[in-house]
């Protein structure tokens, strides 16, 4: 392979890695929007909290020693998912449910308020400076090309991100398409009132979507935290915006759309940063958002709003 | 089985039901007729708690239900075929039916599924098709089938014949009579007053949110004022 194509391949690998985590976060936006039609602006903060919890658990367990690394990561993942879910659930109960049925703008303001609150709450309790974690997973699975020209590497960390994302998305897809509650989620997304008329407590289904979204954001929080090695209380804002862009790109409300949108956005960003000054990557990402909103507001896989009979 | 006592319902400032009192006895087919905008749908949905009655009492099998949430009420043993069918168009026929039996155990679900597919063989043919791709008549059958999946003792139907071909309407009315013979109590809202009154034991006439007349189906069918207003003279 030529040097140029090796370079391109590397950017695609990097893009798919970041894109996977966008996709994980985007699920939370898309599922909540699909059912109650609101943008949960505090969702990025849930991701950030997931990162913090994983860092705290990992640091703590490593300090105690005597645990194998995979076990440490697994425990950190479970704890982060659990705590982030609790936050996700609580945010809905406290800040959104009381406002349901009122003006959309009011719910949006409440969501922005919640987002600022969570940011400052973490900044106050954990400090607002960067927290770093020494790389835990090093080495690469695959190396292509040679050092003299250009070497393509797929690191173990990247592979871990791919595998965890793939497993999570497969589990989510099976849950939504096969399980009784997953079916109820889809029914709620189509007609919340009718689902209620079948005796189903739709408030519980709404809570469930917040919990699932938060748990997936926490997975992304752990993975990206390990990948970059540094977190701070403000990472949720940008990550949230990117994931939201991914959700809109794929078609907000659509779960496969969020997955696809995340990957497309990740790769687009990586390619932009590779061939243009890297400051352009956010410009391109949000340019993409504006373009989609202007020309195809339903996104790639979103259905046009069907008129209800 | 179902009793409404002096029920009033408001949409914000607008009062849609005024002091409505209605009774549906076990095993009966009771119909509610009235012009567009009379409040028929409002009355039926008030029973389901969506919207809630602003005053008055609603009793289902002797229990006062007007303060319960919609989902609580709908788990009591009644089911609704709402105006406009409201099937889940992205879900398959099988999934729609499953949604109707959300709280049934496997045995009850399978028994009721057999029963519903027996009533509507068409649904069996379309079993794995998405609800939204079916014809209007098939969708109405699915909406009724979905309601029946919970094995309700009382079935509320809101204009099940609306927009359907005469032959399908005929089928739907036959199914309603058959359900009654199987022990399901029926409360039927219809604009198709002629056919509804023919199968009904009793009927109520609603005008501007008020019950203005109630009698046996037969009596209403031959009543002059009713004939003029709802049966085309
Ligand atoms: N969601 C709502 N908000 C405000 N007003 C409503 C609402 N739903 C119905 N109404 C009003 O309440 C009155 C009764 O409406 P309803 O739908 O119950 O009538 P209906 O008898 O079912 O009519 P149709 O035969 O057309 O179905 C109407 O004046 C209607 O405009
Ligand atoms: Mg109506």
């Amino acid at each position: 392979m030529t040097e140029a194509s090796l370079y391109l391949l590397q950017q695609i690998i990097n893009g798919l890695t970041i894109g996977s985590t966008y996709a994980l976060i985007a699920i939370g936006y898309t599922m909540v929007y699909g059912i109650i039609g609101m943008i949960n602006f505090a969702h990025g903060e849930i991701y950030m909290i997931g990162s913090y919890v994983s860092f705290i658990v990992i640091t703590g367990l490593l300090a105690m020693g005597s645990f194998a690394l995979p076990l440490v990561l697994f425990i950190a993942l479970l704890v982060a998912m659990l705590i982030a879910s609790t936050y996700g659930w609580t945010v809905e109960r406290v800040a959104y449910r009381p406002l349901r049925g009122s003006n959309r703008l009011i719910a949006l303001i409440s969501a922005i308020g919640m987002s600022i609150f969570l940011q400052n709450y973490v900044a106050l309790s954990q400090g607002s400076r960067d927290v770093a974690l020494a790389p835990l997973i090093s080495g690469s699975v695959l190396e292509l090309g040679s050092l003299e020209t250009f070497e393509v590497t797929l690191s173990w960390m990247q592979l871990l991100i791919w595998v965890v994302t793939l497993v999570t998305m497969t589990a989510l897809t099976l849950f939504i398409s096969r399980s009784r509650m997953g079916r109820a989620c889809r029914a709620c997304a189509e007609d919340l009132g009718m689902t209620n008329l079948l005796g189903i407590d739709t408030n519980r289904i709404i809570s469930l979507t917040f919990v699932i979204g938060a748990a997936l954001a926490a997975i992304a929080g752990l993975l990206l935290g390990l990948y970059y090695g540094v977190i701070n209380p403000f990472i949720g804002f940008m990550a949230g915006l990117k994931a939201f862009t991914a959700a809109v790109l794929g078609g907000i409300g659509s779960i496969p759309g969020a997955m696809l949108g995340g990957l497309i956005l990740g790769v687009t960003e990586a390619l932009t940063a590779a061939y243009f000054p890297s400051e352009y990557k956010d410009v391109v990402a949000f340019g993409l958002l504006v373009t989609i909103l202007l020309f195809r507001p339903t996104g790639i896989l979103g259905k046009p709003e069907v008129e209800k009979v | 089985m179902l009793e409404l006592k002096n029920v009033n319902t408001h949409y914000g400032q607008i009062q849609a039901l005024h002091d409505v009192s209605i009774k549906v006895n076990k095993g009966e087919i009771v119909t509610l007729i009235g012009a567009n905008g009379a409040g028929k749908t409002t009355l039926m949905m008030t029973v389901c708690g969506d919207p809630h009655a602003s005053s008055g009492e609603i009793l289902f099998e002797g229990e006062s239900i007007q303060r319960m949430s919609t989902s609580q009420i709908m788990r009591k043993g009644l089911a609704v075929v709402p105006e406009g069918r409201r099937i889940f168009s992205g879900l398959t026929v099988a999934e729609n039916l499953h949604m109707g039996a959300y709280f049934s155990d496997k045995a009850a679900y399978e028994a009721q599924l057999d029963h519903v597919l027996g009533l509507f063989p068409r649904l069996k043919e379309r079993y794995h098709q998405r609800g939204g791709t079916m014809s209007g008549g098939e969708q109405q059958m699915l909406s009724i089938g979905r309601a029946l999946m919970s094995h309700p003792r009382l079935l509320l139907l809101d204009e099940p014949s609306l927009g359907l071909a005469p032959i399908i309407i005929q089928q739907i009315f036959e199914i309603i009579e058959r359900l009654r013979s199987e022990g399901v109590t029926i409360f039927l809202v219809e604009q198709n007053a002629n056919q509804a009154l023919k199968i009904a034991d009793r009927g109520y006439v609603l005008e501007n949110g008020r019950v203005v007349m109630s009698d046996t189906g037969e009596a209403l069918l031959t009543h002059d004022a009713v004939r003029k207003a709802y049966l085309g003279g």
Side-chain angles (χ1 to χ4, degrees):
Chain A
M1 273 201 272
T2 66
E3 191 166 340
S5 58
L6 287 174
Y7 184 68
L8 178 66
L9 182 62
Q10 181 71 66
Q11 303 317 317
I12 292 174
I13 289 175
N14 297 348
L16 289 176
T17 306
I18 298 297
S20 299
T21 65
Y22 288 162
L24 285 171
I25 308 173
I27 295 292
Y29 284 108
T30 224
M31 281 183 75
V32 165
Y33 184 86
I35 293 188
I36 55 176
M38 82 163 282
I39 309 291
N40 175 14
F41 258 99
H43 187 56
E45 272 55 56
I46 301 292
Y47 149 81
M48 178 269 293
I49 289 171
S51 264
Y52 265 88
V53 174
S54 354
F55 267 42
I56 292 169
V57 174
I58 291 172
T59 319
L61 289 178
L62 288 179
M64 285 199 277
S66 72
F67 288 111
L69 184 62
L71 185 65
V72 169
L73 294 181
F74 187 66
I75 295 174
L77 186 68
L78 289 188
V79 176
M81 287 169 77
L82 194 76
I83 293 185
S85 300
T86 311
Y87 274 95
W89 184 86
T90 311
V91 164
E92 192 270 332
R93 287 305 292 261
V94 173
Y96 304 155
R97 191 176 297 181
L99 298 175
R100 207 177 298 146
S102 62
N103 192 320
R104 278 183 181 215
L105 199 59
I106 295 173
L108 191 66
I109 291 167
S110 179
I112 293 171
M114 206 62 207
S115 159
I116 295 170
F117 168 77
L118 290 173
Q119 249 178 49
N120 288 287
Y121 159 72
V122 173
L124 282 174
S125 61
Q126 302 294 324
S128 57
R129 270 181 293 168
D130 281 1
V131 179
L133 192 68
L136 294 174
I137 300 171
S138 51
S140 46
V141 195
L142 178 105
E143 284 164 12
L144 262 179
S146 68
L147 274 176
E148 296 89 73
T149 56
F150 182 82
E151 193 181 32
V152 178
T153 58
L154 171 66
S155 69
W156 280 108
M157 188 61 227
Q158 288 178 319
L159 186 68
L160 179 73
I161 292 179
W162 291 7
V163 170
V164 172
T165 304
L166 191 68
V167 170
T168 308
M169 293 305 193
T170 309
L172 178 71
T173 306
L174 287 177
F175 172 78
I176 293 293
S177 62
R178 303 282 163 81
S179 76
R180 168 171 171 268
M181 275 191 170
R183 195 159 48 227
C185 285
R186 283 181 287 141
C188 281
E190 276 197 35
D191 191 338
L192 198 64
M194 187 61 226
T195 312
N196 225 347
L197 285 171
L198 295 174
I200 297 160
D201 185 349
T202 49
N203 277 330
R204 283 204 197 178
I205 305 289
I206 292 170
S207 287
L208 178 73
T209 61
F210 275 85
V211 164
I212 293 177
L216 265 57
I219 298 177
L222 175 120
L223 294 173
L224 264 189
L226 288 179
Y227 191 57
Y228 289 138
V230 187
I231 58 174
N232 65 50
F234 311 106
I235 54 170
F237 178 72
M238 196 44 113
L241 270 185
K242 292 291 173 60
F244 172 67
T245 304
V248 173
L249 184 61
I252 190 134
S254 153
I255 290 176
M259 299 179 186
L260 185 68
L263 295 181
I264 292 179
L265 184 66
V267 171
T268 309
E269 269 189 17
L271 293 179
T272 313
Y275 296 105
F276 301 95
S278 70
E279 293 77 41
Y280 279 98
K281 94 179 179 345
D282 294 347
V283 177
V284 168
F286 298 124
L288 203 60
L289 175 64
V290 173
T291 314
I292 285 282
L293 286 175
L294 282 177
F295 295 105
R296 198 179 152 82
T298 54
I300 301 170
L301 297 182
K303 283 166 282 199
E305 198 67 24
V306 251
E307 221 176 303
K308 292 214 166 114
V309 204
Chain B
M1 168 146 261
L2 177 72
E3 189 171 2
L4 283 76
K5 292 182 183 168
N6 304 103
V7 168
N8 291 285
T9 299
H10 291 78
Y11 291 110
Q13 298 296 315
I14 305 162
Q15 184 162 5
L17 294 182
H18 300 262
D19 267 329
V20 168
S21 296
I22 273 184
K23 205 167 173 177
V24 181
N25 299 310
K26 194 166 189 309
E28 277 186 322
I29 296 181
V30 172
T31 188
L32 178 72
I33 58 176
N36 287 115
K40 306 182 295 298
T41 300
T42 303
L43 194 161
M44 178 161 282
M45 296 309 283
T46 300
V47 171
C48 304
D50 175 25
H52 275 105
S54 31
S55 65
E57 194 175 20
I58 304 174
L59 297 165
F60 178 66
E61 296 180 331
E63 186 184 6
S64 184
I65 58 169
Q66 77 274 9
R67 301 227 176 283
M68 296 179 183
S69 71
T70 298
S71 59
Q72 276 175 311
I73 296 169
M74 303 314 289
R75 290 197 295 270
K76 293 277 171 199
L78 66 169
V80 62
V81 177
E83 182 164 53
R85 304 167 197 136
R86 292 174 75 174
I87 58 154
F88 302 113
S89 54
L91 273 59
T92 64
V93 169
E95 290 176 325
N96 269 280
L97 294 176
H98 221 134
M99 285 301 299
Y102 197 75
F103 301 96
S104 309
D105 59 37
K106 201 167 178 348
Y109 161 73
E110 276 165 7
Q112 198 61 5
L113 184 63
D114 273 353
H115 181 213
V116 167
L117 294 180
L119 284 175
F120 302 108
R122 186 59 72 85
L123 296 182
K124 203 173 191 167
E125 291 164 31
R126 300 273 185 266
Y127 199 56
H128 295 292
Q129 191 171 322
R130 277 169 190 255
T133 61
M134 301 202 301
S135 74
E138 289 165 343
Q139 292 192 11
Q140 189 58 264
M141 292 174 191
L142 181 55
S143 187
I144 298 173
R146 179 182 64 185
L148 290 174
M149 284 303 291
S150 65
H151 213 309
R153 295 183 293 283
L154 173 66
L155 184 64
L156 311 173
L157 295 134
D158 195 346
E159 301 202 42
S161 71
L162 192 72
L164 302 181
I167 183 156
I168 310 280
I169 295 179
Q170 205 49 51
Q171 277 178 30
I172 297 226
F173 276 96
E174 277 164 22
I175 295 277
I176 292 172
E177 289 197 276
R178 187 165 153 195
L179 287 171
R180 189 258 293 271
S181 71
E182 290 169 359
V184 184
T185 306
I186 308 274
F187 183 53
L188 172 67
V189 163
E190 263 300 343
Q191 285 213 38
N192 199 332
N194 192 18
Q195 236 153 336
L197 289 171
K198 270 185 195 149
I199 65 164
D201 299 298
R202 293 185 302 111
Y204 291 85
V205 180
L206 199 64
E207 255 172 36
N208 298 321
R210 290 186 172 81
V211 174
V212 293
M213 214 182 290
S214 75
D215 211 326
T216 63
E218 239 171 306
L220 288 174
L221 210 47
T222 50
H223 193 285
D224 271 352
V226 175
R227 293 197 68 85
K228 266 216 184 74
Y230 305 107
L231 302 168

